[in-house]
Amino acid sequence: MNNVIALREVSKTYGKGDGAVRALSDISLHVDEGEFIAILGASGSGKSTLMNIVGLMDTADSGQYLLDGQDIMKSHDASLTRLRGRKIGFIFQKYNLIAKYSVLYNVALPLLLAGKSYGQAKQDAAATLERVGLGDKLKRKPAELSGGQAQRVAIARALVTNPTLLLADEPTGALDKKTGEDVLGFMQELHSGAGKTIIMITHDQHVASKAQRIVQLEDGRITGDH
């Protein structure tokens, strides 16, 4: 089984001197292809920092990070931007959909940014929306959707580039309990049926229990992995 993610003694500190805050301390973590992992921790545990580093939105101060075998610590900003667009699909708590655009265009946008033609991007986006059960909502605007539908659009946008890794940040945080369970069920289907590698960030033990493996963070350190 290939490592999609390999972190070795990764540390991150914000600020300097007396005001310095150690966000992560010597984090070592391996995520295999096809795993569904929950990163569980309370506010201030370091899970958001870890997510930002794994998602190539921040860089570690020390240690090693391999993404699909590539040494991220030796990559330049432009290279990281390309890698992020190609290898990582993001699912956010508040969806981060663009209100003025249709559902179809929201999902097509990552493909357009990657250089695909408008026609091909629309075709791929429509097929991905069909896959998440929203093939009849292509012309709707985000404000016309329920919370669960909006999160499925966000999932479709994350899937449309066929990324190596899906990174979900509190994906049920803005949803009611029933809708949240539906979204979690769909993510489990992506894992078991499509073999997607998923890292889900959460503070909720119940949400974490839906994953195959739980990695617990506390004060910037891994305190459990089971």
Side-chain angles (χ1 to χ4, degrees):
M1 188 72 72
N2 294 328
N3 285 151
V4 172
I5 299 291
L7 300 174
R8 298 181 184 130
E9 297 185 348
V10 164
S11 295
K12 179 71 177 181
T13 299
Y14 294 106
K16 296 181 179 179
D18 293 341
V21 175
R22 183 86 156 177
L24 295 177
S25 298
D26 299 322
I27 296 289
S28 293
L29 176 68
H30 291 78
V31 180
D32 289 334
E33 184 179 356
E35 278 197 288
F36 182 7
I37 292 184
I39 306 292
L40 176 65
S43 178
S45 63
K47 64 184 187 299
S48 293
T49 300
L50 181 58
M51 181 198 72
N52 288 339
I53 289 173
V54 168
L56 307 183
M57 295 183 287
D58 200 354
T59 53
D61 295 330
S62 60
Q64 186 180 46
Y65 173 18
L66 302 179
L67 173 62
D68 253 2
Q70 182 166 342
D71 191 341
I72 296 306
M73 302 292 280
K74 295 179 181 178
S75 299
H76 300 294
D77 287 348
S79 175
L80 291 179
T81 299
R82 287 193 298 271
L83 272 174
R84 186 167 60 241
R86 194 170 75 248
K87 289 187 174 288
I88 302 175
F90 292 92
I91 303 167
F92 298 100
Q93 177 178 343
K94 294 185 178 178
Y95 327 131
N96 283 18
L97 302 177
I98 302 174
K100 66 180 180 179
Y101 292 153
S102 69
V103 163
L104 181 65
Y105 195 83
N106 265 281
V107 176
L109 194 54
L111 297 174
L112 295 170
L113 293 173
K116 274 204 174 184
S117 70
Y118 185 59
Q120 187 62 59
K122 284 204 306 181
Q123 183 177 324
D124 291 353
T128 307
L129 283 159
E130 186 71 40
R131 182 179 173 189
V132 302
L134 293 175
D136 60 341
K137 308 291 184 188
L138 305 187
K139 296 181 180 179
R140 298 284 182 90
K141 297 288 181 66
E144 299 175 283
L145 303 175
S146 68
Q149 289 170 337
Q151 191 58 292
R152 283 187 178 240
V153 174
I155 291 171
R157 182 185 55 195
L159 288 172
V160 75
T161 57
N162 194 29
T164 302
L165 172 69
L166 287 178
L167 190 56
D169 181 19
E170 301 279 6
T172 64
L175 304 173
D176 62 73
K177 185 176 180 179
K178 182 184 182 307
T179 306
E181 290 291 332
D182 290 343
V183 167
L184 288 171
F186 184 71
M187 290 179 65
Q188 287 177 310
E189 288 174 26
L190 287 174
H191 166 243
S192 60
K196 287 295 181 183
T197 307
I198 303 172
I199 298 179
M200 178 172 64
I201 309 297
T202 184
H203 68 281
D204 188 321
Q205 178 72 50
H206 173 71
V207 171
S209 72
K210 304 296 183 179
Q212 177 187 34
R213 173 180 162 204
I214 298 174
V215 175
Q216 188 138 7
L217 278 188
E218 188 174 342
D219 295 329
R221 297 180 182 275
I222 293 177
T223 58
D225 188 342
H226 54 277

